Each structure stands twice: as C-alpha cells, then as structure tokens.
Amino acid sequence: ILNVEQSPQSLHVQEGDSTNFTCSFPSSNFYALHWYRWETAKSPEALFVMTLNGDEKKKGRISATLNTKEGYSYLYIKGSQPEDSATYLCACSDNYGQNFVFGPGTRLSVLP
Amino acid sequence: DGGITQSPKYLFRKEGQNVTLSCEQNLNHDAMYWYRQDPGQGLRLIYYSQIVNDFQKGDIAEGYSVSREKKESFPLTVTSAQKNPTAFYLCASSIDPSTHYGYTFGSGTRLTVV
C-alpha cells in the first residue's frame, strides 16, 4: 500500500516569515506528486504536479521541489501572509497512476 | 462556471438510517471519486468511477454504495452497515482517470450520525 506522510502536522508562523514543509513517499514505482491547498470551507485547489526528479515549480510566493530518488517533496512559502493559512495536501501516485494516495496534510496558520 | 456541487453541506442522520450524498459536475469529466476525511488522516478513497455505468471499490468501500447512471452525477449512499459514518465526505472529478491530473473537488458534506 502506498503510504504518504506529511510533516509537520500543523505549523504557526508570523506574517512575513518564510516556511516549508515536507511530503514523503516511497520512491519505488513513483509516477507523480501533486500539491493542493485547502482553505477552510472551500474546495481543495491544485497547486502543482511534478513528475521528474529535480523538478521545481513556482506560483507566486509558493514553490515546490521534488526528489524522487529519496522520496520527498518540499513546499516553500516565502513571506507568509494570513491568506496563506490553509491545509496543504500532497498526493502521490505510483505504478503509472494506478494508485493515488493523499497525505494527512499540514495545517498552516499565519498570524498577523 | 464549471465545477462540482455537493449537497447538502451538513447532514444529520439517525443511527440505522441510510442517507445519500449528492455530487454533480458540469465539467464533462469522465472520472469521479468519493473520499472520506477523518481528523488527522488523509483523504481515503471510498469509490471511484471512470465511466458511466461502471464503478470500482476504493480502500474503504464497506458500508457504502454508489451509482453512475449519468456522467454528471455520482451519488454516494451511506448505509446502516457503515459502522462509523460520521465524517467529512469529499467528491472529486478528473479529466484523466489514469493519471489523476486535473482533479477538481467539491466543497464537501459533513455527515453526523446522531
């Protein structure tokens, strides 16, 4: 069974701080890694999809990296703002997309 | 605007009763999915459907049933056989069922059994 872990479980930062969190997954048969942002009372929103080792994606102040050989992805937020407060989910697929499993999420709170 | 609509947002059910959660999409996506979220856990797959009139069990299908009579609709029934039905339920659809790219989610239904 594909097991996806995220750390930390929750995080509180001050406005303006930069932060990062981790998604870990088995490196064998890796296919793709997805990041989502899930704000309270809204639908999860896709941020990035990465497939190749060394991939880096950026959207505004948010960026992500992928290391498929060691089985992890980092999500970075530069200069956190209160509107960044959300749960950040990663999901990993293996075996050419046959299995698709979500991690438990990292809950970020940005304090003004 | 295209999207996924889940209704209702909150649902209360008496123990022993079946209840059906609605999920409708107008994105013309072939694949649709039902997930369950419990505190501290990731989204767990209940059922999925890659095409009309076909659906497959996910990781935690026991106590649930689905139908896919129309492309737009994928209702989930929580039966009385589901031992712990109180949870948050999320519906999703995707363009490509083989790669899971382009997932679009609904806003969820919170079910409470009283």
Side-chain angles (χ1 to χ4, degrees):
Chain A
I1 294 178
L2 179 53
N3 185 37
V4 180
E5 297 176 346
Q6 290 187 249
S7 63
Q9 186 175 357
S10 65
L11 191 55
H12 297 261
V13 301
Q14 288 295 134
E15 182 175 355
D17 285 351
S18 293
T19 187
N20 67 86
F21 23 93
T22 308
C23 174
S24 303
F25 52 87
S27 54
S28 59
N29 295 320
F30 171 84
Y31 188 73
L33 191 288
H34 304 239
W35 279 102
Y36 295 85
R37 174 169 58 204
W38 192 0
E39 294 180 65
T40 302
K42 294 187 178 179
S43 309
E45 169 199 355
L47 289 173
F48 306 114
V49 180
M50 295 180 288
T51 56
L52 299 176
N53 184 45
D55 262 354
E56 291 187 25
K57 295 280 177 91
K58 188 174 180 184
K59 188 187 256 189
R61 294 179 291 99
I62 303 178
S63 60
T65 61
L66 178 66
N67 184 323
T68 61
K69 294 186 177 179
E70 295 181 43
Y72 64 84
S73 173
Y74 291 142
L75 189 80
Y76 300 91
I77 303 179
K78 186 177 177 183
S80 302
Q81 299 297 308
E83 58 265 30
D84 295 329
S85 297
T87 296
Y88 290 83
L89 295 174
C90 71
C92 183
S93 60
D94 69 359
N95 203 16
Y96 300 102
Q98 250 190 27
N99 302 310
F100 185 67
V101 175
F102 284 87
T106 291
R107 188 177 183 88
L108 173 68
S109 298
V110 181
L111 308 172
Chain B
D1 283 339
I4 294 186
T5 302
Q6 286 187 246
S7 60
K9 203 174 180 75
Y10 298 95
L11 192 54
F12 294 87
R13 185 196 97 177
K14 286 187 179 177
E15 202 168 333
Q17 289 180 338
N18 292 355
V19 64
T20 298
L21 281 58
S22 168
C23 178
E24 304 277 331
Q25 55 105 353
N26 60 3
L27 300 163
N28 202 33
H29 285 176
D30 283 319
M32 296 186 74
Y33 312 84
W34 273 105
Y35 288 91
R36 169 183 170 135
Q37 190 193 36
D38 294 284
Q41 296 196 39
L43 298 174
R44 291 185 293 165
L45 183 64
I46 304 172
Y47 266 98
Y48 66 99
S49 168
Q50 295 189 335
I51 200 164
V52 174
N53 291 322
D54 185 56
F55 48 82
Q56 307 293 330
K57 291 182 179 180
D59 301 318
I60 54 165
E62 187 175 344
Y64 299 98
S65 66
V66 293
S67 63
R68 187 88 186 275
E69 296 175 6
K70 298 185 298 181
K71 190 174 189 178
E72 303 79 24
S73 178
F74 191 40
L76 174 75
T77 297
V78 185
T79 75
S80 56
Q82 169 46 237
K83 295 192 186 329
N84 188 17
T86 294
F88 185 79
Y89 291 88
L90 201 59
C91 179
S93 69
S94 71
I95 300 168
D96 186 345
S98 62
T99 65
H100 306 277
Y101 282 28
Y103 254 50
T104 300
F105 287 92
S107 54
T109 293
R110 185 165 296 280
L111 173 64
T112 303
V113 174
V114 297

